[in-house]
Coordinates of all heavy atoms in Angstrom, one line a residue:
M1 N 0.9 -1.2 0.0 CA 0.0 0.0 0.0 C 0.9 1.3 0.0 O 1.7 1.3 0.8 CB -0.9 0.0 1.2 CG -1.8 1.2 1.3 SD -2.8 1.1 2.8 CE -3.9 -0.2 2.4
R2 N 0.5 2.1 -0.9 CA 1.4 3.3 -0.9 C 0.9 4.3 0.1 O -0.3 4.6 0.2 CB 1.3 3.9 -2.4 CG 2.2 5.1 -2.5 CD 2.1 5.7 -4.0 NE 0.8 6.0 -4.3 CZ 0.4 6.4 -5.5 NH1 1.3 6.6 -6.4 NH2 -0.8 6.8 -5.8
C3 N 1.8 4.8 0.8 CA 1.5 5.8 1.8 C 1.3 7.2 1.3 O 2.3 7.7 0.7 CB 2.5 5.8 2.9 SG 2.1 7.0 4.3
T4 N 0.2 7.7 1.2 CA 0.0 9.1 0.7 C 0.4 10.0 1.7 O -0.1 10.1 2.8 CB -1.5 9.3 0.3 OG1 -2.3 9.0 1.5 CG2 -1.9 8.3 -0.8
S5 N 1.4 10.8 1.3 CA 2.0 11.8 2.2 C 1.1 13.0 2.4 O 0.4 13.4 1.5 CB 3.3 12.3 1.8 OG 3.2 12.9 0.6
S6 N 1.0 13.5 3.5 CA 0.3 14.7 3.8 C 1.2 15.7 4.5 O 2.3 15.4 4.8 CB -1.0 14.4 4.7 OG -0.5 14.0 6.0
I7 N 0.7 16.9 4.7 CA 1.5 17.9 5.3 C 1.8 17.5 6.8 O 2.8 18.0 7.4 CB 0.8 19.2 5.3 CG1 -0.6 19.1 6.0 CG2 0.6 19.8 3.9 CD1 -1.3 20.5 6.1
W8 N 1.1 16.7 7.3 CA 1.3 16.3 8.7 C 2.4 15.2 8.9 O 2.8 14.9 9.9 CB 0.0 15.8 9.4 CG -1.1 16.7 9.3 CD1 -2.3 16.4 8.5 CD2 -1.3 18.0 9.8 NE1 -3.1 17.5 8.6 CE2 -2.6 18.4 9.5 CE3 -0.5 18.7 10.7 CZ2 -3.0 19.7 9.8 CZ3 -0.9 20.0 11.1 CH2 -2.2 20.5 10.6
N9 N 2.8 14.7 7.7 CA 3.8 13.6 7.7 C 5.2 14.2 7.8 O 6.1 13.4 8.0 CB 3.6 12.7 6.6 CG 2.5 11.7 6.9 OD1 2.1 11.5 8.0 ND2 2.0 11.1 5.8
S10 N 5.4 15.4 7.6 CA 6.7 15.9 7.6 C 7.4 15.9 9.0 O 6.8 16.4 9.9 CB 6.8 17.3 7.1 OG 6.0 18.1 8.0
P11 N 8.5 15.1 9.1 CA 9.1 14.9 10.4 C 9.9 16.1 10.9 O 10.3 16.0 12.0 CB 9.9 13.6 10.2 CG 10.3 13.8 8.7 CD 9.2 14.5 8.0
V12 N 10.1 17.0 10.1 CA 11.0 18.1 10.4 C 10.3 19.2 11.2 O 9.3 19.7 10.7 CB 11.7 18.7 9.2 CG1 12.7 17.8 8.6 CG2 10.6 19.0 8.1
A13 N 10.7 19.4 12.4 CA 10.3 20.5 13.2 C 8.7 20.5 13.3 O 8.1 21.5 13.2 CB 10.7 21.9 12.6
N14 N 8.4 19.3 13.5 CA 6.9 19.2 13.8 C 6.6 18.3 15.0 O 6.2 17.1 14.7 CB 6.2 18.7 12.5 CG 4.7 18.8 12.6 OD1 4.2 19.5 13.6 ND2 4.0 18.1 11.7
P15 N 6.9 18.7 16.1 CA 6.7 17.9 17.3 C 5.2 17.8 17.7 O 5.0 17.0 18.7 CB 7.5 18.6 18.4 CG 7.4 20.0 17.9 CD 7.4 20.0 16.5
E16 N 4.4 18.5 17.0 CA 3.0 18.6 17.5 C 2.3 17.2 17.2 O 2.5 16.7 16.1 CB 2.3 19.7 16.8 CG 2.9 21.0 17.1 CD 2.2 22.1 16.3 OE1 1.4 21.8 15.4 OE2 2.5 23.3 16.6
R17 N 1.6 16.9 18.1 CA 0.7 15.6 17.9 C -0.5 16.1 17.1 O -1.1 17.1 17.4 CB 0.4 15.0 19.2 CG 1.5 14.1 19.7 CD 1.0 13.5 20.9 NE -0.2 12.6 20.7 CZ -1.0 12.3 21.7 NH1 -0.8 12.7 22.9 NH2 -2.1 11.7 21.4
I18 N -1.0 15.3 16.3 CA -2.3 15.6 15.6 C -3.3 14.7 16.1 O -3.2 13.4 16.1 CB -2.1 15.3 14.1 CG1 -1.0 16.3 13.5 CG2 -3.4 15.7 13.4 CD1 -1.2 17.8 13.8
V19 N -4.3 15.2 16.7 CA -5.4 14.5 17.3 C -6.7 14.9 16.6 O -6.7 15.9 15.9 CB -5.5 14.7 18.8 CG1 -4.3 14.3 19.5 CG2 -5.8 16.2 19.1
A20 N -7.6 14.0 16.7 CA -8.9 14.2 16.1 C -9.7 15.0 17.1 O -9.8 14.6 18.2 CB -9.6 12.9 15.6
C21 N -10.4 16.0 16.6 CA -11.2 16.8 17.5 C -12.4 15.8 18.0 O -13.0 15.2 17.2 CB -11.8 17.9 16.7 SG -13.1 18.8 17.6
P22 N -12.6 15.8 19.3 CA -13.6 14.9 19.9 C -15.0 15.2 19.4 O -15.9 14.4 19.5 CB -13.5 15.1 21.4 CG -12.1 15.7 21.6 CD -11.8 16.5 20.4
N23 N -15.1 16.5 18.9 CA -16.5 16.9 18.5 C -16.7 16.6 17.0 O -17.7 16.0 16.7 CB -16.7 18.3 18.8 CG -18.0 18.8 18.5 OD1 -19.0 18.3 19.0 ND2 -18.2 19.7 17.6
C24 N -15.8 17.1 16.2 CA -16.1 17.0 14.8 C -15.1 16.1 14.1 O -15.3 15.8 12.9 CB -16.0 18.4 14.1 SG -14.4 19.1 14.1
G25 N -14.1 15.6 14.7 CA -13.2 14.7 14.2 C -12.2 15.3 13.3 O -11.4 14.6 12.6
K26 N -12.1 16.6 13.3 CA -11.2 17.3 12.4 C -9.7 17.2 13.0 O -9.6 17.2 14.3 CB -11.5 18.7 12.3 CG -10.6 19.6 11.4 CD -11.0 21.0 11.4 CE -10.1 21.8 10.6 NZ -10.5 23.3 10.6
S27 N -8.7 17.0 12.2 CA -7.4 16.9 12.6 C -6.9 18.2 13.2 O -7.0 19.2 12.5 CB -6.5 16.4 11.5 OG -6.9 15.1 11.1
T28 N -6.5 18.2 14.4 CA -6.1 19.4 15.0 C -4.8 19.2 15.8 O -4.6 18.2 16.4 CB -7.2 20.0 15.9 OG1 -6.8 21.2 16.4 CG2 -7.5 19.0 17.0
P29 N -3.9 20.2 15.8 CA -2.7 20.0 16.5 C -2.9 20.1 18.0 O -3.5 20.9 18.5 CB -1.8 21.1 16.0 CG -2.8 22.2 15.6 CD -4.0 21.4 15.1
Y30 N -2.3 19.1 18.6 CA -2.4 19.0 20.2 C -1.1 19.6 20.7 O -0.2 19.0 21.0 CB -2.6 17.6 20.6 CG -2.9 17.4 22.1 CD1 -4.2 17.4 22.5 CD2 -1.9 17.4 23.1 CE1 -4.5 17.3 23.9 CE2 -2.2 17.3 24.4 CZ -3.5 17.3 24.8 OH -3.8 17.2 26.1
S31 N -1.2 21.0 20.7 CA 0.0 21.7 21.1 C -0.4 22.9 22.0 O -1.6 23.2 22.1 CB 0.8 22.2 19.9 OG 0.0 23.1 19.2
S32 N 0.6 23.5 22.5 CA 0.4 24.6 23.4 C -0.2 25.8 22.6 O -0.8 26.7 23.2 CB 1.7 25.0 24.1 OG 2.7 25.3 23.1
K33 N 0.0 25.7 21.3 CA -0.5 26.8 20.4 C -2.0 26.6 20.2 O -2.7 27.6 20.0 CB 0.2 26.8 19.1 CG 1.6 27.3 19.2 CD 2.3 27.4 17.8 CE 2.3 26.1 17.0 NZ 3.0 26.1 15.7
N34 N -2.5 25.5 20.5 CA -3.9 25.2 20.3 C -4.5 25.3 21.7 O -4.5 24.3 22.4 CB -4.1 23.9 19.7 CG -5.6 23.7 19.4 OD1 -6.4 24.6 19.6 ND2 -6.0 22.5 19.0
S35 N -5.0 26.4 22.1 CA -5.6 26.6 23.4 C -6.9 25.9 23.5 O -7.4 25.8 24.7 CB -5.8 28.1 23.7 OG -6.7 28.7 22.7
Y36 N -7.4 25.3 22.5 CA -8.7 24.6 22.6 C -8.5 23.1 22.5 O -9.4 22.4 22.4 CB -9.6 25.0 21.5 CG -9.8 26.5 21.3 CD1 -9.4 27.2 20.2 CD2 -10.2 27.2 22.4 CE1 -9.5 28.6 20.1 CE2 -10.3 28.6 22.3 CZ -10.0 29.3 21.2 OH -10.2 30.6 21.0
R37 N -7.2 22.7 22.6 CA -6.9 21.3 22.5 C -7.7 20.5 23.6 O -7.9 21.0 24.7 CB -5.4 21.0 22.6 CG -4.9 21.5 24.0 CD -3.3 21.3 24.0 NE -2.8 21.6 25.3 CZ -2.4 22.9 25.7 NH1 -2.7 23.9 24.9 NH2 -2.0 23.0 26.9
P38 N -8.1 19.3 23.3 CA -7.9 18.6 22.1 C -8.9 18.9 21.0 O -9.0 18.2 20.0 CB -8.1 17.1 22.5 CG -9.1 17.2 23.6 CD -8.8 18.5 24.2
F39 N -9.6 20.0 21.2 CA -10.6 20.4 20.2 C -9.9 21.3 19.1 O -8.9 21.8 19.4 CB -11.8 21.1 20.9 CG -12.4 20.3 22.0 CD1 -12.1 20.5 23.2 CD2 -13.4 19.4 21.6 CE1 -12.7 19.8 24.3 CE2 -14.0 18.7 22.6 CZ -13.6 18.8 24.0
C40 N -10.6 21.4 18.0 CA -10.0 22.1 16.9 C -10.3 23.6 17.0 O -9.6 24.4 16.4 CB -10.5 21.6 15.6 SG -12.3 21.9 15.3
S41 N -11.4 23.9 17.7 CA -11.7 25.3 17.8 C -12.5 25.6 19.1 O -12.9 24.7 19.8 CB -12.6 25.7 16.6 OG -13.8 25.0 16.6
E42 N -12.7 26.9 19.4 CA -13.5 27.2 20.6 C -14.9 26.7 20.5 O -15.5 26.3 21.5 CB -13.5 28.7 20.8 CG -14.2 29.2 22.0 CD -14.2 30.7 22.2 OE1 -13.9 31.4 21.1 OE2 -14.5 31.1 23.2
R43 N -15.4 26.7 19.3 CA -16.8 26.3 19.0 C -16.9 24.8 19.5 O -17.9 24.5 20.2 CB -17.3 26.5 17.6 CG -18.6 25.9 17.3 CD -19.0 26.1 15.9 NE -19.1 27.5 15.6 CZ -19.5 28.0 14.4 NH1 -19.9 27.2 13.5 NH2 -19.6 29.2 14.3
C44 N -16.0 24.0 19.0 CA -16.2 22.6 19.3 C -15.9 22.4 20.9 O -16.6 21.5 21.4 CB -15.1 21.8 18.5 SG -15.6 21.5 16.8
R45 N -15.1 23.1 21.4 CA -14.9 23.0 22.9 C -16.2 23.3 23.6 O -16.6 22.7 24.6 CB -13.8 23.9 23.3 CG -13.4 23.6 24.7 CD -12.1 24.4 25.1 NE -12.3 25.9 25.1 CZ -12.7 26.6 26.2 NH1 -12.6 26.0 27.3 NH2 -12.8 27.9 26.1
L46 N -16.8 24.4 23.2 CA -18.1 24.8 23.8 C -19.2 23.8 23.6 O -20.0 23.6 24.5 CB -18.5 26.2 23.3 CG -17.6 27.3 23.7 CD1 -18.0 28.7 23.1 CD2 -17.5 27.5 25.2
I47 N -19.2 23.2 22.5 CA -20.2 22.3 22.1 C -20.0 21.1 23.1 O -21.0 20.5 23.6 CB -20.1 21.8 20.6 CG1 -20.5 22.9 19.7 CG2 -20.9 20.6 20.4 CD1 -20.4 22.6 18.3
D48 N -18.7 20.6 23.3 CA -18.5 19.5 24.2 C -18.9 19.9 25.6 O -19.4 19.0 26.3 CB -17.1 19.1 24.0 CG -16.8 17.8 24.8 OD1 -17.2 16.8 24.2 OD2 -16.3 17.8 25.9
L49 N -18.7 21.1 25.9 CA -19.0 21.5 27.4 C -20.5 21.7 27.5 O -21.0 21.7 28.6 CB -18.3 22.8 27.7 CG -16.8 22.7 27.8 CD1 -16.2 24.1 28.0 CD2 -16.4 21.7 28.9
G50 N -21.2 21.7 26.4 CA -22.7 21.7 26.5 C -23.2 23.1 26.5 O -24.3 23.4 26.7
D51 N -22.2 24.1 26.4 CA -22.6 25.6 26.4 C -23.3 25.9 25.0 O -24.0 26.8 25.0 CB -21.4 26.4 26.6 CG -20.9 26.3 28.0 OD1 -21.6 25.7 28.8 OD2 -19.8 26.8 28.3
W52 N -23.0 25.1 24.1 CA -23.5 25.4 22.7 C -25.0 25.4 22.8 O -25.7 26.2 22.1 CB -22.9 24.5 21.7 CG -23.5 24.7 20.4 CD1 -24.4 23.9 19.7 CD2 -23.2 25.8 19.5 NE1 -24.6 24.5 18.4 CE2 -23.9 25.6 18.4 CE3 -22.4 27.0 19.6 CZ2 -23.9 26.5 17.3 CZ3 -22.4 27.9 18.6 CH2 -23.1 27.7 17.4
A53 N -25.6 24.5 23.5 CA -27.0 24.3 23.4 C -27.7 25.5 24.0 O -28.7 26.1 23.4 CB -27.4 23.1 24.2
S54 N -27.2 26.0 25.1 CA -27.8 27.2 25.7 C -27.5 28.4 24.9 O -28.3 29.3 24.7 CB -27.3 27.4 27.1 OG -25.9 27.5 27.1
E55 N -26.3 28.4 24.3 CA -26.0 29.6 23.5 C -26.8 29.6 22.2 O -27.1 30.7 21.7 CB -24.5 29.5 23.2 CG -23.9 30.7 22.5 CD -22.4 30.7 22.2 OE1 -21.8 29.7 22.8 OE2 -21.9 31.5 21.5
A56 N -27.1 28.5 21.7 CA -27.9 28.5 20.5 C -29.2 29.1 20.7 O -29.8 29.7 19.7 CB -28.0 27.1 20.0
H57 N -29.8 28.9 21.8 CA -31.0 29.6 22.1 C -30.9 31.1 22.2 O -31.9 31.8 22.0 CB -31.7 29.0 23.4 CG -32.1 27.6 23.2 ND1 -33.3 27.2 22.6 CD2 -31.6 26.4 23.7 CE1 -33.4 25.9 22.5 NE2 -32.4 25.4 23.2
A58 N -29.7 31.5 22.6 CA -29.6 32.9 22.9 C -29.3 33.7 21.5 O -29.5 34.8 21.5 CB -28.4 33.2 23.8
I59 N -28.7 32.9 20.6 CA -28.5 33.6 19.3 C -29.7 33.9 18.5 O -30.5 32.9 18.3 CB -27.5 32.6 18.5 CG1 -26.1 32.5 19.2 CG2 -27.3 33.2 17.1 CD1 -25.2 31.5 18.4
P60 N -30.0 35.0 18.2 CA -31.1 35.4 17.4 C -30.9 34.9 16.0 O -30.0 35.2 15.3 CB -31.2 36.9 17.5 CG -29.8 37.3 17.7 CD -29.1 36.3 18.6
G61 N -31.8 34.1 15.6 CA -31.7 33.5 14.2 C -32.3 34.4 13.2 O -32.8 35.6 13.6
R62 N -32.3 34.0 12.0 CA -32.9 34.9 11.0 C -34.4 34.9 11.2 O -35.1 33.9 11.1 CB -32.6 34.3 9.6 CG -31.1 34.4 9.3 CD -30.9 33.9 7.9 NE -31.3 32.5 7.8 CZ -31.3 31.8 6.8 NH1 -31.0 32.4 5.5 NH2 -31.7 30.5 6.7
E63 N -34.9 36.1 11.5 CA -36.3 36.2 11.7 C -37.0 36.7 10.5 O -36.8 37.8 10.0 CB -36.6 37.2 12.9 CG -36.1 36.6 14.2 CD -36.5 37.6 15.3 OE1 -37.1 38.6 15.1 OE2 -36.2 37.3 16.5
L64 N -37.8 35.8 9.9 CA -38.5 36.2 8.7 C -39.8 37.0 9.2 O -40.4 36.5 10.1 CB -38.9 35.0 7.9 CG -37.7 34.3 7.3 CD1 -38.2 33.0 6.6 CD2 -37.0 35.1 6.3
P65 N -40.0 38.0 8.5 CA -41.3 38.8 8.8 C -42.5 37.9 8.5 O -42.5 37.1 7.6 CB -41.3 40.0 7.9 CG -40.3 39.5 6.7 CD -39.3 38.6 7.3
P66 N -43.5 38.0 9.3 CA -44.7 37.1 9.1 C -45.3 37.4 7.8 O -45.5 38.5 7.4 CB -45.7 37.7 10.3 CG -45.2 39.0 10.7 CD -43.6 39.0 10.4
G67 N -45.5 36.3 7.1 CA -46.1 36.5 5.7 C -45.1 36.5 4.6 O -45.4 36.7 3.5
A68 N -43.9 36.3 5.0 CA -42.8 36.3 4.0 C -42.8 35.1 3.2 O -42.4 35.1 2.0 CB -41.4 36.5 4.6
L69 N -43.3 34.0 3.8 CA -43.2 32.8 3.0 C -44.6 32.4 2.4 O -44.7 31.7 1.5 CB -42.8 31.6 4.0 CG -41.3 31.8 4.4 CD1 -41.0 30.6 5.3 CD2 -40.4 31.7 3.2
D70 N -45.6 32.8 3.1 CA -46.9 32.5 2.6 C -47.5 33.6 1.7 O -48.0 34.5 2.1 CB -47.9 32.2 3.7 CG -48.0 33.3 4.7 OD1 -47.1 34.2 4.6 OD2 -48.8 33.3 5.6
D71 N -47.1 33.5 0.4 CA -47.4 34.5 -0.5 C -48.6 34.1 -1.4 O -48.6 34.3 -2.6 CB -46.2 34.9 -1.4 CG -45.6 33.6 -2.0 OD1 -46.0 32.5 -1.7 OD2 -44.8 33.8 -2.9
D72 N -49.4 33.3 -0.8 CA -50.5 32.7 -1.6 C -51.6 33.7 -1.7 O -52.3 34.1 -0.7 CB -51.1 31.4 -1.1 CG -51.3 31.5 0.4 OD1 -50.8 32.5 1.0 OD2 -52.0 30.7 1.0
G73 N -51.9 34.2 -2.9 CA -53.0 35.1 -3.1 C -52.6 36.6 -3.0 O -53.0 37.3 -3.8
K74 N -51.9 36.8 -2.1 CA -51.5 38.3 -1.8 C -50.2 38.6 -2.5 O -49.2 38.2 -2.1 CB -51.5 38.5 -0.3 CG -51.3 39.9 0.0 CD -51.3 40.2 1.5 CE -51.2 41.6 1.9 NZ -51.1 41.8 3.3
Q75 N -50.3 39.3 -3.5 CA -49.1 39.7 -4.3 C -49.0 41.2 -4.4 O -49.9 41.8 -5.1 CB -49.0 39.0 -5.6 CG -48.8 37.6 -5.6 CD -48.7 36.9 -6.9 OE1 -48.9 37.6 -8.0 NE2 -48.4 35.7 -7.0
E76 N -48.1 41.8 -3.7 CA -48.0 43.3 -3.8 C -46.7 43.7 -4.5 O -45.6 43.2 -4.1 CB -48.1 43.9 -2.5 CG -49.4 43.6 -1.8 CD -49.4 44.2 -0.4 OE1 -48.4 44.9 -0.1 OE2 -50.4 44.2 0.3
Y77 N -46.8 44.4 -5.6 CA -45.5 44.8 -6.2 C -45.3 46.3 -6.0 O -46.2 47.1 -6.1 CB -45.6 44.5 -7.7 CG -45.6 43.0 -8.0 CD1 -46.7 42.3 -8.3 CD2 -44.4 42.3 -8.0 CE1 -46.7 41.0 -8.5 CE2 -44.3 41.0 -8.2 CZ -45.5 40.3 -8.5 OH -45.4 39.0 -8.7
Ligands
LIG101 ZN1 -13.8 20.3 16.0

C-alpha cells in the first residue's frame, strides 16, 4: 500500500501531535499553540461542554417577517 503523504507527515520541526477533534473529528494539533486542544476550535470545545445548546437559544436567528413565506393570493408589487 502506498502511503499518501500529507502535510502532517513531515518529520522536520513538527513535534506537534495531531489528534482528532472529539467533537467534529477534524485533525487538529495538540500543542500549546492550540488553546482549545484537544478540540479544533473554541466552538467545538463549547459544544462539548454543553454551552452550545444554551448559547444556540440565545443567538437570534434569521427572523422572517410574518407572511414572508406564505405568498398565496396576496401579491404586492
Ligand atoms: Zn472540532
Side-chain angles (χ1 to χ4, degrees):
M1 179 180 293
R2 184 177 61 181
C3 180
T4 57
S5 63
S6 65
I7 57 176
W8 306 114
N9 278 343
S10 62
V12 286
N14 189 14
E16 299 176 353
R17 282 182 53 202
I18 302 301
V19 298
C21 174
N23 183 62
C24 68
K26 179 181 179 180
S27 297
T28 182
Y30 190 91
S31 67
S32 58
K33 290 187 296 185
N34 183 9
S35 57
Y36 309 119
R37 64 186 182 276
F39 302 95
C40 69
S41 63
E42 182 181 13
R43 174 179 296 184
C44 280
R45 189 172 67 96
L46 291 178
I47 291 176
D48 188 78
L49 290 178
D51 291 347
W52 176 251
S54 58
E55 187 177 350
H57 288 287
I59 294 177
R62 292 180 301 171
E63 293 185 0
L64 293 175
L69 292 179
D70 50 355
D71 54 350
D72 49 343
K74 187 178 182 180
Q75 292 182 354
E76 296 181 1
Y77 290 100

